[in-house]
Amino acid sequence: MLLADPILSVWIAETMALARRHAATPRGVHKYQDCYDGERFRGFCATGVITEDTDIVLSAAIDAAEFWRQTGEKMVPVVFTVLSLPPDVRS
């Protein structure tokens, strides 16, 4: 559904095009700006996992928390962040 949205699809294509260009440049040419400057993202681009400007990259954060000690109930929040979007619209 993200790519069907007329605004989000443009943001994703622009962000991923920039990210893939950054990943293709040698280390040290530009300062670390975002997740796409990291070794993992660069490796995904180099090995062909990320190949298109329309690829969707997600980050997942999982944390278990015991909120109700009396009942023993636990809650496990799972938060996904769409890293293919510009940083200022991710959250």
Side-chain angles (χ1 to χ4, degrees):
M1 294 304 279
L2 289 171
L3 295 177
D5 186 282
I7 296 172
L8 293 179
S9 62
V10 171
W11 283 345
I12 288 171
E14 290 173 352
T15 301
M16 290 303 290
L18 174 67
R20 291 183 339 107
R21 278 196 306 275
H22 273 254
T25 60
R27 199 40 115 179
V29 171
H30 51 82
K31 65 179 183 171
Y32 186 90
Q33 295 177 347
D34 202 355
C35 62
Y36 49 74
D37 293 317
E39 290 302 319
R40 176 114 0 165
F41 186 89
R42 294 166 81 76
F44 286 153
C45 289
T47 59
V49 174
I50 298 172
T51 59
E52 303 291 329
D53 293 344
T54 54
D55 286 345
I56 305 291
V57 179
L58 301 174
S59 171
I62 301 171
D63 188 15
E66 189 174 324
F67 288 104
W68 301 277
R69 288 183 191 248
Q70 294 173 340
T71 62
E73 297 293 324
K74 291 187 179 188
M75 182 172 103
V76 181
V78 180
V79 178
F80 289 96
T81 303
V82 181
L83 299 176
S84 301
L85 291 170
D88 57 331
V89 295
R90 286 182 192 155
S91 53

